[in-house]
């Protein structure tokens, strides 16, 4: 078939590409000859001489290079990987083992052209490789261009112009340039170590520190601030406006699955020391607080970080802020999805760091913060000195961290203590215990007899410790210099030698600090749980120490690496074992994928009675047991184990999943017993300060199982019942049980370099971590498997309404009908006995359709409900208007009737009043008339009388 007649599948742009990626439509030859990153292959690269050996090849190479460049023009615009945009979904996924047998999606070239360039014995796949990875002697991978191939040898040109002749089997196929910086490693056509390394480096150089590896998020520590966080990003991930990999995206998924499935979730953050686990946990908590906030408890949860970091983190050679304890914070949610409370569980605080630090390291941050930031009043009360004045702190000659202000950090811690409701009095007691621990290290001893017995010197260290913990100087002096023992019915006081006295002093300091740390966590939990209702829904964030391997590895690294071994088993179980077991149980046609299982290493630790932990506990109970006898016993019983190797002197090597670690058993037995003598506990219980009394009570009640053997014989306290290893193993199993009951989300933190330097990427270091955490296996299994699965019932219930018509109510029939209706290819899913299994990305199509349909349904429902509401409102208004009219009419009629009655009454009243007025007026007039008439009559009478009298007078006069 010719290049022009070959039909290629439809090609679409990749959904997720780096922001700076640009699609070009220029010369396809230039696009193919362009190297990854900054390396460019130019036409003259092949004729440059990198070494004398290459000069002999230049002539032949130059001709072949020109021929190759000329033939690439034959492809023209039909090149499958030209810069016009390609979709990975349109190309078949190729497993590692099939790289040499599956043809690449390039058009074929005429046979005549092939015969002129390569012999017939050259494998077909090799003839088509344009770029391949080649491993240099220093272990780094470099991209090269295949110039010509003859037999099982190929001539390649590196980016610096060197021309090498290499064995064909030493070349690893490279992905096309269009896949540079994809945000999910599952999108890579060739999934191999150099391709994964380069893809991560490409993104890392552009500050894209997060990359998906199937279901796992890979986070590379940038060792600098990157613009990927804040309220704007939180809101964007909440609204799904951004889909690129991020801690926010993982946390958002956990919240949504918790609400949707009503199943508790867990976010498991792992990685080496210095990989950024603590910061990643804080970022996840910030997102939870932003989405589930509102009650105020989220602010308290965030403020626990500076407290726990100050008291539980320290500077090591590999990390300035290394967690020296494990932390599981369980955040509880209400029914409405709001944070309602939290609980913090801690594991194995590294107590030995309190009294001993290696050169260049620091003890716990809080000591330096207290010395640098305590206010004058507190300094005077605690008699604080500078950090370099304390023996426990000055032995490492490291007092500060570049870029960190301890005084400012102390103020932050005090503010956080206020937020979690630890009273000022309790805070002063906490700082007093810290000062007491520091002054304990300054207590010195003097020899008092020929047998090297010692007693504590009455110096400022002794005085200050006695004052701070609230005991008498004599009691403290006797506790550090003598030991009470009971032999039969007699009590014997034994004087201590210098080494015994120093051990007793250091044991007291370590116990006080460890109890103080536990007490602080207990107070924080009380604050986070007061008045909070729990619904059973929670998201747990696990931030635990990473795998460690130093030049000298002691008991602490032994426990830490055992914990990481158990966590790796949990990782394997959920991503490898359970997945493949589920395929088998559900009858899925599945080719089992092999992966590296660490069960043998776990058996080495946990097997009884001949496991590392059992033999360690057994030797700890022997009266004459020493670190040397422990080493010999381990070699005697475990040398046949493939994961164990006995070393010279007191050392042994364990083959962990992350590599070999050699442990020095010096101090193993003492640290495993972790004995605090009964005299020291009695001293603490007799103190006047409240905290030492609480610590003593805790030590006396922490276990019920007695220890037999040398612990009692040496006067050990009855409180020291269980060994440290046994208690740690119990805590670890409880942790695993809690994690098993949750849906896990994994974040793998990667440290790009050991110098904690930004923009530095060490291939070997990154590759080692990728191998350790099983990233390649996860991607390989996820890509070849069916990572998305759903029960028939749930699938039918969730998507059944999308069917045009439902002929059957059987969940399986409904599910199959849905798949057929939406034309999902048969190779993209499999139907199991109880579940449906989907390839990556298939469920997203259905989910998008469901969301769109639901959105449309909601729009229709909203319109119909609006219509109903408006019609109901109109009817209601009409009814109200009618009712109001009747009521108003009735009220008007009643008012009119009352008014009419009042009018009638008023008329009657007026009539009566007018009548009264008329009668009174008539009477007045009548009376006046009568008076007038009477006056007239009287006048008349008087006039008549006058006239009569006048006449009479006249008569008499006349007479």
């Amino acid at each position: 078939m010719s290049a022009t007649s070959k039909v290629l599948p439809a090609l679409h742009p990749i959904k997720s590409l780096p922001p700076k990626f640009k699609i070009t439509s220029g010369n396809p030859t230039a696009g193919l000859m362009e190297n990854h990153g900054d390396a460019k292959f130019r036409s003259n690269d092949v004729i440059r001489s990198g070494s004398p050996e290459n000069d002999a090849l230049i002539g032949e190479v130059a001709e072949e290079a020109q021929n190759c460049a000329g033939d690439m023009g034959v492809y023209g615009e039909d090149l499958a990987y030209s810069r016009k945009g390609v979709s990975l979904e349109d190309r078949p996924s190729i497993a590692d083992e099939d790289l040499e047998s599956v043809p690449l999606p390039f058009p074929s070239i005429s046979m005549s052209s092939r015969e002129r360039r390569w012999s017939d014995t050259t494998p077909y796949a090799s003839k088509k490789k344009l770029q391949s990875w080649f491993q240099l002697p220093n272990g780094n991978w470099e991209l090269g261009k295949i110039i010509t191939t003859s037999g099982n040898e190929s001539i390649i040109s590196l980016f610096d112009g060197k021309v090498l002749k290499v064995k064909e089997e030493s070349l690893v196929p490279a992905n096309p340039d269009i896949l540079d910086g994809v945000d999910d490693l599952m999108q890579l056509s060739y999934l191999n170590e150099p391709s994964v390394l380069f893809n991560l480096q490409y993104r890392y150089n552009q500050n894209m520190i997060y990359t998906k590896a199937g279901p796992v998020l890979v986070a590379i520590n940038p060792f600098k601030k990157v613009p990927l966080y804040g309220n704007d990003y939180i809101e964007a991930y909440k609204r799904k406006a951004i889909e690129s990999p991020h801690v926010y995206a993982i946390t958002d998924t956990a919240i949504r699955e918790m609400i949707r499935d009503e199943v508790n979730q867990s976010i498991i953050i792992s990685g080496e020391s210095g990989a950024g686990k603590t910061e990643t946990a804080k970022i996840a908590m910030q997102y939870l607080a932003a989405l589930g906030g509102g009650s105020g408890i989220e602010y308290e949860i965030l403020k626990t970080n500076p407290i726990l970091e100050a008291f539980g983190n320290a500077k090591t050679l590999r990390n300035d802020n290394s967690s020296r304890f494990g932390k599981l914070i369980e955040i509880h949610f209400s029914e409405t999805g709001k944070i309602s409370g939290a609980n913090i569980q801690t594991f194995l605080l590294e107590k030995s760091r309190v009294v001993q630090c290696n050169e260049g390291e620091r003890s716990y941050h809080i000591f330096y913060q207290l010395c640098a930031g305590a206010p004058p009043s507190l300094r005077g009360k605690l008699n604080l000195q500078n950090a370099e004045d304390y023996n426990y702190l000055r032995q490492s000659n490291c007092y500060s961290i570049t870029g960190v202000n301890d005084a400012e950090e102390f103020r932050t811690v005090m503010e956080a203590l206020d937020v979690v409701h630890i009273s000022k009095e309790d805070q002063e007691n906490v700082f007093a215990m810290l000062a007491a621990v520091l002054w304990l290290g300054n207590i010195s001893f003097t020899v008092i007899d020929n047998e090297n017995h010692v007693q504590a010197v009455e110096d400022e260290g002794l005085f200050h410790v006695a004052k701070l913990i609230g005991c008498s100087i004599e009691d403290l002096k006797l506790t550090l210099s003598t030991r009470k023992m009971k032999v039969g019915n007699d009590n014997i006081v034994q004087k201590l030698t210098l080494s015994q006295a120093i051990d007793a002093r250091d044991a007291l300091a370590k116990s006080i600090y460890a109890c103080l740390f536990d007490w602080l966590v207990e107070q924080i939990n009380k604050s986070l749980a007061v008045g909070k209702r729990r619904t059973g829904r929670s998201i747990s964030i696990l931030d635990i120490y990473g795998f460690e391997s130093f030049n000298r590895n002691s008991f602490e690294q032994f426990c830490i690496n055992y914990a990481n071994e158990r966590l790796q088993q949990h990782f394997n179980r959920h991503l490898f074992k359970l997945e493949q077991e589920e395929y088998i149980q559900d009858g899925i046609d599945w080719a089992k994928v092999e992966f590296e299982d660490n069960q043998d290493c776990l058996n080495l630790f946990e097997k009884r009675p001949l496991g590392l932990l059992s033999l360690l506990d057994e030797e700890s109970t022997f009266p004459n047991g020493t670190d040397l006898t422990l080493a010999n016993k381990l070699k005697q019983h475990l040398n046949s184990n493939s994961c164990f190797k006995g070393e010279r002197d007191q050392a042994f090597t364990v083959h962990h999943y992350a590599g070999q670690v050699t442990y020095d058993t010096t101090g193993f037995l003492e640290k495993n017993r972790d004995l605090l003598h009964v005299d020291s506990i009695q001293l603490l219980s007799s103190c006047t300060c409240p905290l030492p009394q609480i610590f003593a009570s805790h030590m006396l009640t922490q276990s019920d199982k007695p220890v037999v053997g040398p612990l009692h014989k040496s006067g050990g306290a009855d409180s020291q019942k269980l060994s440290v290893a046994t208690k740690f193993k119990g805590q670890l199993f409880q942790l695993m049980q809690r994690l098993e009951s949750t849906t896990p989300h994994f974040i793998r933190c990667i440290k790009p370099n050991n110098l904690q330097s930004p923009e530095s990427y060490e291939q070997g270091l990154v590759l080692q971590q990728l191998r350790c955490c099983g990233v390649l296996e996860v991607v390989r299994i996820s890509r070849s498997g069916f990572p998305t699965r759903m029960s028939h019932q749930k699938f039918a219930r969730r998507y059944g309404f999308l069917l045009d018509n439902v002929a059957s109510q059987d969940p399986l029939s409904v599910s199959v009908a849905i798949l057929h209706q939406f034309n999902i290819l048969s190779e993209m899913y499999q139907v199991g006995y109880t579940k449906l299994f989907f390839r990556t990305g298939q469920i997203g199509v259905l989910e998008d359709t469901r969301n769109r349909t639901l959105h449309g349904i909601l729009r229709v429902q909203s319109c119909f409900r609006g219509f109903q509401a408006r019609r109901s409102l109109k009817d209601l208004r009409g009814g109200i208007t009618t009712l109001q009219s009747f009521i108003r009419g009735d009220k008007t009629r009643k008012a009119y009737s009352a008014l009419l009655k009042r009018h009638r009454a008023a008329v009657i009243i007026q009539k009566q009043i007018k009548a009264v007025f008329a009668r009174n007026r008539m009477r007045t007039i009548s009376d006046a008339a009568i008076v007038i008439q009477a006056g007239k009559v009287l006048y008349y009478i008087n006039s008549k009388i006058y006239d009569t009298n006048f006449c009479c007078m006249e008569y008499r006069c006349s007479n």
Side-chain angles (χ1 to χ4, degrees):
M1 181 183 294
S2 66
T4 56
S5 62
K6 183 169 182 177
V7 179
L8 295 176
L11 304 176
H12 306 284
I14 296 179
K15 295 180 180 179
S16 174
L17 287 175
K20 296 183 180 180
F21 184 86
K22 296 181 180 179
I23 299 178
T24 61
S25 58
N27 185 0
T29 304
L32 284 168
M33 301 293 284
E34 185 179 13
N35 187 19
H36 293 272
D38 297 329
K40 305 290 182 182
F41 288 113
R42 297 173 296 275
S43 59
N44 61 341
D45 283 343
V46 294
I47 61 174
R48 294 198 325 221
S49 175
S51 62
E53 302 94 313
N54 297 333
D55 292 337
L57 298 172
I58 289 178
E60 178 186 357
V61 167
E63 181 183 357
E64 295 294 343
Q66 296 299 328
N67 291 336
C68 289
D71 280 341
M72 277 187 273
V74 177
Y75 300 162
E77 303 258 328
D78 292 332
L79 264 173
Y81 286 126
S82 66
R83 294 270 184 176
K84 287 195 171 184
V86 187
S87 173
L88 294 175
E89 297 175 355
D90 296 325
R91 297 197 305 271
S93 178
I94 305 174
D96 289 348
E97 57 270 22
D98 297 328
L99 293 178
E100 296 298 331
S101 58
V102 179
L104 298 179
F106 285 106
S108 59
I109 307 175
S110 63
M111 287 304 297
S112 59
S113 175
R114 292 178 186 278
E115 290 171 353
R116 289 198 306 268
R117 288 172 182 79
W118 292 291
S119 66
D120 294 335
T121 59
T122 304
Y124 177 68
S126 298
K127 297 176 184 178
K128 297 183 298 178
K129 292 178 185 175
L130 298 177
Q131 295 184 136
S132 293
W133 294 104
F134 175 69
Q135 191 168 24
L136 302 177
N138 62 4
N140 290 339
W141 291 91
E142 192 166 327
L143 195 63
K145 180 182 62 176
I146 297 180
I147 299 173
T148 183
T149 301
S150 177
N152 63 347
E153 291 184 341
S154 297
I155 298 174
I156 64 171
S157 172
L158 304 181
F159 81 97
D160 59 358
K162 290 184 179 180
V163 179
L164 303 175
K165 179 182 288 188
V166 298
K167 296 290 186 182
E168 186 181 359
E169 57 268 17
S170 65
L171 297 178
V172 177
N175 290 284
D177 294 347
I178 198 171
L179 298 184
D180 288 353
V182 292
D183 60 10
D184 192 341
L185 298 179
M186 289 182 63
Q187 297 178 5
L188 296 177
S189 295
Y190 296 121
L191 183 65
N192 48 54
E193 291 181 350
S195 295
V196 170
L197 275 175
F198 170 76
N199 193 78
L200 295 176
Q201 183 176 7
Y202 186 96
R203 294 177 60 80
Y204 178 74
N205 292 337
Q206 300 184 47
N207 290 331
M208 296 185 290
I209 62 174
Y210 298 113
T211 306
K212 287 183 65 177
V216 179
L217 178 68
V218 177
I220 303 182
N221 192 345
F223 292 117
K224 65 178 181 180
K225 292 184 178 180
V226 290
L228 296 176
Y229 313 104
N231 293 332
D232 292 340
Y233 277 88
I234 290 175
E235 187 63 26
Y237 278 95
K238 178 182 177 181
R239 292 185 290 104
K240 296 292 185 182
I242 302 179
E243 296 184 357
S244 56
H246 201 288
V247 178
Y248 290 163
I250 291 288
T251 312
D252 187 80
T253 300
I255 293 178
R256 294 178 187 275
E257 290 187 5
M258 178 193 69
I259 296 174
R260 183 191 68 195
D261 302 334
E262 297 185 353
V263 176
N264 292 340
Q265 309 289 309
S266 61
I267 300 175
I268 302 175
I269 305 171
S270 59
E272 285 193 8
S273 179
K277 299 183 298 300
T278 300
E279 289 300 317
T280 301
K282 288 159 64 175
I283 294 167
M285 290 171 62
Q286 288 171 2
Y287 191 83
L288 290 178
L291 264 66
S295 62
I297 188 66
E298 70 278 0
Y299 183 66
E300 292 185 37
I301 295 174
L302 292 177
K303 281 299 182 180
T304 63
N305 286 320
I307 299 174
L308 295 177
E309 285 186 25
F311 284 85
N313 290 17
K315 179 185 183 302
T316 66
L317 295 177
R318 297 186 177 181
N319 187 4
D320 289 344
N321 190 35
S322 178
S323 298
R324 308 318 299 165
F325 73 107
K327 176 182 67 176
L328 177 72
I329 178 167
E330 188 176 29
I331 302 176
H332 299 271
F333 291 82
S334 65
E335 295 176 352
T336 59
K338 299 298 182 181
I339 295 177
S340 61
N343 183 74
I344 298 174
Q345 182 181 355
T346 58
F347 311 93
L348 189 67
L349 179 72
E350 186 184 349
K351 295 191 290 185
S352 62
R353 183 167 292 272
V354 175
V355 300
Q356 184 179 5
C357 286
N358 296 325
E359 185 75 20
E361 297 188 343
R362 291 206 322 177
S363 185
Y364 291 103
H365 296 323
I366 189 61
F367 291 126
Y368 306 90
Q369 295 171 1
L370 178 65
C371 292
S377 59
L378 184 61
R379 295 186 71 89
K381 186 177 294 187
L382 304 181
N383 299 294
L384 277 178
Q385 306 293 325
N386 295 325
E388 54 267 22
D389 295 325
Y390 294 106
N391 292 334
Y392 282 159
L393 303 184
R394 66 169 170 239
Q395 56 185 315
S396 65
N397 294 319
C398 181
Y399 307 104
S400 62
I401 301 175
T402 304
V404 176
N405 187 332
D406 286 320
E408 186 63 32
E409 293 294 324
F410 183 73
R411 286 188 283 273
T412 303
V413 171
M414 293 190 68
E415 177 189 346
L417 291 172
D418 292 333
V419 172
V420 296
H421 306 108
I422 295 180
S423 66
K424 291 296 184 182
E425 181 182 356
D426 283 341
Q427 290 183 35
E428 289 187 0
N429 291 332
V430 168
F431 299 141
M433 293 301 101
L434 294 173
V437 170
L438 292 177
W439 280 115
L440 269 171
N442 282 20
I443 293 178
S444 57
F445 301 92
T446 181
V447 178
I448 59 175
D449 57 26
N450 310 342
E451 299 179 1
N452 291 326
H453 293 148
V454 298
Q455 68 177 9
V457 177
E458 294 186 5
D459 54 10
E460 61 174 357
L462 193 69
F463 286 112
H464 292 329
V465 172
K467 176 184 176 182
L468 290 168
I469 67 176
C471 70
S472 68
I473 295 176
E474 284 302 319
D475 289 345
L476 178 60
K477 188 176 178 180
L478 285 175
T479 300
L480 298 179
S481 306
T482 62
R483 180 173 298 171
K484 295 178 183 177
M485 299 180 61
K486 188 172 184 179
V487 179
N489 296 326
D490 299 328
N491 291 324
I492 299 176
V493 177
Q494 178 186 1
K495 296 180 180 179
L496 301 181
T497 63
L498 180 60
S499 61
Q500 291 173 333
I502 292 175
D503 288 343
R505 178 199 66 188
D506 292 348
L508 180 60
K510 291 188 293 184
S511 296
I512 290 176
Y513 189 82
C515 290
L516 177 64
F517 184 78
D518 292 339
W519 180 85
L520 270 175
V521 173
E522 183 180 350
Q523 300 308 306
I524 291 173
N525 284 335
K526 288 180 181 178
S527 173
L528 298 180
V530 171
K532 311 300 188 303
R533 292 190 308 163
R534 296 183 180 179
T535 62
R537 298 179 181 177
S538 68
I539 295 178
S540 300
I541 300 176
L542 178 63
D543 172 21
I544 198 166
Y545 19 59
F547 184 86
E548 293 184 346
S549 179
F550 301 104
N551 293 331
R552 181 183 179 276
N553 299 284
S554 189
F555 181 75
E556 290 79 14
Q557 281 70 47
F558 177 80
C559 293
I560 287 172
N561 292 343
Y562 165 53
N564 278 271
E565 202 74 51
R566 174 53 66 181
L567 287 173
Q568 181 66 22
Q569 174 73 2
H570 180 72
F571 180 81
N572 290 347
R573 174 175 169 77
H574 277 273
L575 294 183
F576 300 151
K577 285 186 176 180
L578 292 183
E579 181 161 346
Q580 301 198 73
E581 289 174 2
E582 191 170 2
Y583 292 154
I584 297 173
Q585 292 172 1
D586 240 59
I588 298 300
D589 184 13
W590 165 256
K592 188 173 182 180
V593 178
E594 297 298 329
F595 63 92
E596 186 175 349
D597 192 1
N598 67 331
Q599 186 60 52
D600 291 340
C601 188
L602 276 177
N603 292 338
L604 172 66
F605 276 89
E606 299 172 353
K607 189 177 180 180
R608 302 178 64 91
L610 298 179
L612 286 172
L613 299 177
S614 299
L615 293 174
L616 174 60
D617 281 347
E618 178 183 298
E619 194 66 17
S620 297
T621 61
F622 286 164
N624 299 322
T626 64
D627 297 326
L628 181 59
T629 59
L630 170 65
N632 292 333
K633 176 176 287 189
L634 296 180
K635 295 173 187 177
Q636 176 185 352
H637 292 286
L638 302 176
N639 256 343
S640 58
N641 192 303
S642 59
C643 295
F644 179 89
K645 179 183 178 183
E647 304 290 349
R648 296 179 59 185
D649 300 327
Q650 300 179 192
F652 65 92
T653 298
V654 175
H655 295 264
H656 290 280
Y657 76 95
Q660 297 184 14
V661 180
T662 300
Y663 300 97
D664 185 352
T665 59
T666 302
F668 260 55
L669 295 185
E670 178 187 352
K671 292 177 180 178
N672 188 47
R673 292 167 181 160
D674 193 28
L675 293 180
L676 182 65
H677 198 266
V678 68
D679 293 353
S680 299
I681 299 177
Q682 291 174 353
L683 173 71
L684 294 177
S685 63
S686 66
C687 293
T688 57
C689 292
L691 285 184
Q693 295 177 6
I694 295 174
F695 299 163
S697 175
H698 172 72
M699 294 176 192
L700 292 171
T701 59
Q702 62 181 346
S703 179
D704 296 324
K705 183 179 178 180
V707 169
V708 295
L711 304 187
H712 289 285
K713 193 168 184 178
S714 61
D718 293 342
S719 65
Q720 306 302 311
K721 306 296 194 294
L722 298 175
S723 69
V724 172
T726 300
K727 288 188 288 188
F728 181 63
K729 179 181 177 182
Q731 289 180 331
L732 199 56
F733 270 81
Q734 291 178 1
L735 171 64
M736 290 299 109
Q737 288 177 352
R738 292 176 65 175
L739 294 180
E740 286 289 346
S741 65
T742 66
T743 299
H745 305 267
F746 295 98
I747 301 178
R748 292 296 201 183
C749 296
I750 301 295
K751 181 170 59 174
N753 61 80
N754 285 321
L755 302 177
Q756 304 180 43
S757 174
E759 301 177 1
S760 176
Y761 187 91
E762 298 177 9
Q763 287 189 9
L765 179 64
V766 174
L767 181 58
Q768 178 190 2
Q769 295 172 79
L770 292 175
R771 289 171 176 168
C772 292
C773 61
V775 168
L776 297 178
E777 284 77 6
V778 170
V779 179
R780 186 157 50 92
I781 290 179
S782 298
R783 191 164 70 171
S784 60
F786 302 86
T788 306
R789 63 211 62 177
M790 194 177 295
S791 66
H792 301 320
Q793 292 80 4
K794 185 175 181 179
F795 187 83
R797 185 171 62 251
R798 189 168 182 82
Y799 305 108
F801 70 93
L802 299 176
L803 286 176
D804 296 333
N805 50 56
V806 182
S808 171
Q809 296 299 323
D810 175 45
L812 178 58
S813 302
V814 172
S815 300
V816 174
I818 294 171
L819 297 174
H820 288 165
Q821 176 172 314
F822 287 92
N823 298 321
I824 296 181
L825 300 178
S826 59
E827 61 266 22
M828 293 292 104
Y829 70 91
Q830 286 203 33
V831 181
Y833 300 140
T834 62
K835 296 180 182 179
L836 293 171
F837 294 77
F838 294 91
R839 298 279 189 190
T840 301
Q842 298 308 305
I843 203 70
V845 177
L846 287 174
E847 195 66 21
D848 290 342
T849 305
R850 177 180 182 271
N851 291 337
R852 287 196 301 270
T853 305
L854 285 177
H855 182 70
I857 292 173
L858 290 177
R859 289 293 300 273
V860 172
Q861 289 179 344
S862 66
C863 292
F864 180 70
R865 287 169 181 161
F867 168 75
Q868 282 188 319
R870 288 189 293 272
R871 186 176 65 180
S872 176
L873 180 62
K874 183 178 179 180
D875 293 342
L876 183 62
R877 282 178 174 174
I880 291 174
T881 302
T882 302
L883 182 61
Q884 286 177 340
S885 68
F886 281 125
I887 292 175
R888 287 169 180 162
D890 184 64
K891 288 177 66 177
T892 302
R893 285 189 291 272
K894 288 180 180 179
Y896 177 75
S897 177
L899 182 63
L900 186 61
K901 289 180 180 179
R902 290 179 63 184
H903 181 266
R904 290 173 180 173
V907 170
I908 293 173
I909 292 172
Q910 287 176 353
K911 182 174 69 174
Q912 295 296 329
I913 291 175
K914 289 177 180 178
V916 171
F917 285 162
R919 283 191 296 270
N920 289 339
R921 188 167 55 252
M922 187 64 188
R923 187 179 294 114
T924 301
I925 295 172
S926 177
D927 289 345
I930 291 173
V931 171
I932 295 172
Q933 290 175 352
K936 288 182 177 181
V937 171
L938 183 59
Y939 175 76
Y940 177 76
I941 293 173
N942 287 335
S943 65
K944 289 297 184 181
I945 294 174
Y946 175 78
D947 289 341
T948 302
N949 288 338
F950 182 74
C951 288
C952 287
M953 285 178 60
E954 286 185 348
Y955 176 75
R956 282 191 300 266
C957 289
S958 64
N959 292 327

